[in-house]
Amino acid sequence: MMIKFNGEQFKKDIYVIWKRGLLIVAFILGANVLLGKICPLRMVWGLPCPGCGITRAFLLVLQGKFYEATVMHPFWIVMVLLFLVFVWFRYFVPDEKLQNKAKGVMRVCIIIAFALCIAYYIYRMFYWFPDRAPMRYDPDNWVNIFKRIFGHCFG
């Protein structure tokens, strides 16, 4: 059996997601340039989220710093593996039954990965927060800014 790339499916997928992808990139770049952060939870409350550090982890991977990336957020590995499995079954496996079976397995894997990520977040909040990156409290958040601006009006 010869492995063949499904270019038609790839073109359809790109057509469907390019606008959303562009909006996500614009948000990330805009938030980073204007506010110095991209996480809505950190922007509003100053608290790290379960995904805190994942962007920095991927930037470290791009620099070849795999150990540092894994310390920053080990779930970059899970995300890469899930992405590669998705790409393989989406674009290289022509059997629709096998694709559907893979979708079910992927869903279970994503749920498990999400649960593990939440558990890891709780661990990091207990042992890293608020002193160790990326689990630092950000006092320059919207709630604190609002309190500084309007605090005198309420009390």
Side-chain angles (χ1 to χ4, degrees):
M1 180 170 104
M2 190 169 146
I3 296 174
K4 185 179 176 200
F5 178 70
N6 187 345
E8 288 302 314
Q9 183 64 53
F10 183 74
K11 287 177 188 175
K12 287 179 190 175
D13 290 348
I14 293 297
Y15 179 76
V16 168
I17 67 167
W18 78 270
K19 290 178 186 175
R20 292 180 193 126
L22 194 61
L23 281 173
I24 291 168
V25 169
F27 171 80
I28 289 171
L29 291 175
N32 200 24
V33 168
L34 295 173
L35 304 169
K37 47 193 156 252
I38 61 171
C39 177
L41 187 64
R42 188 175 294 270
M43 281 183 223
V44 176
W45 299 102
L47 297 172
C49 72
C52 228
I54 201 80
T55 303
R56 283 175 272 182
F58 276 110
L59 292 173
L60 289 165
V61 167
L62 291 175
Q63 297 171 26
K65 299 177 179 177
F66 298 102
Y67 175 78
E68 292 88 345
T70 305
V71 170
M72 186 60 65
H73 204 303
F75 281 81
W76 74 266
I77 300 167
V78 175
M79 291 177 74
V80 168
L81 290 174
L82 287 172
F83 177 75
L84 291 174
V85 169
F86 168 80
V87 167
W88 177 257
F89 282 99
R90 181 80 173 172
Y91 302 116
F92 293 98
V93 175
D95 184 2
E96 199 169 317
K97 283 185 181 180
L98 196 54
Q99 284 181 349
N100 288 335
K101 197 177 280 190
K103 284 179 190 175
V105 171
M106 286 282 291
R107 283 187 187 111
V108 171
C109 288
I110 289 169
I111 290 167
I112 291 169
F114 183 76
L116 289 172
C117 189
I118 296 298
Y120 185 62
Y121 172 70
I122 293 167
Y123 168 82
R124 292 196 308 173
M125 286 300 283
F126 274 107
Y127 293 102
W128 292 17
F129 184 77
D131 303 325
R132 186 171 167 195
M135 305 305 286
R136 291 197 174 115
Y137 175 73
D138 184 357
D140 190 25
N141 61 68
W142 294 353
V143 170
N144 280 348
I145 292 169
F146 183 82
K147 284 180 185 176
R148 285 193 296 259
I149 294 171
F150 299 105
H152 66 281
C153 298
F154 300 109

